[in-house]
């Protein structure tokens, strides 16, 4: 019985990791010009450039995003973020 429980919990844990990675945050640049976002995820810093009207999936495991105006957002993944004229709206 203990082995069955351990196997079930391991399978469930694997399922949770797969489901969590499928819920990235979606960021859309609704502004008229390109923007650059600074993303820190798991201690790694990257820059993502978004042209006007484009979208990108980011942060499958959560991250911090610094907007061009210096505002900082904490995302867990699964959010939908719309950025227009330097203002972010999180849905």
């Amino acid at each position: 019985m203990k082995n069955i429980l351990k196997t079930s919990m391991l399978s469930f844990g694997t399922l949770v990791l797969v489901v969590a990675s499928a819920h990235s945050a979606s960021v859309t640049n609704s502004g008229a010009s390109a923007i650059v976002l600074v993303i820190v995820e798991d201690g790694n810093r990257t820059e993502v450039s978004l042209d006007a009207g484009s979208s990108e999936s980011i942060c499958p495991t959560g991250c911090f995003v610094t907007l061009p105006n210096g505002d900082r957002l904490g995302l867990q993944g699964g959010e939908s973020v719309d950025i227009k004229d330097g203002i972010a709206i999180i849905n």
Side-chain angles (χ1 to χ4, degrees):
M1 182 66 175
K2 287 183 181 180
N3 286 337
I4 293 172
L5 182 58
K6 286 180 185 177
T7 303
S8 296
M9 290 182 73
L10 179 59
S11 296
F12 178 73
T14 303
L15 177 63
V16 170
L17 289 176
V18 171
V19 170
S21 65
H23 292 292
S24 299
S26 173
V27 179
T28 302
N29 178 8
S30 296
S33 60
I35 60 171
V36 176
L37 305 174
V38 177
I39 299 171
V40 178
E41 184 173 13
D42 294 329
N44 299 313
R45 182 183 185 273
T46 58
E47 293 184 357
V48 174
S49 178
L50 289 173
D51 290 329
S54 68
S55 296
E56 185 78 32
S57 293
I58 60 171
C59 306
T61 60
C63 67
F64 288 99
V65 178
T66 303
L67 302 174
N69 67 359
D71 286 350
R72 196 167 174 203
L73 305 173
L75 301 176
Q76 294 179 356
E79 297 92 346
S80 179
V81 181
D82 185 38
I83 302 172
K84 184 174 183 180
D85 302 325
I87 299 172
I89 299 171
I90 302 172
N91 297 316

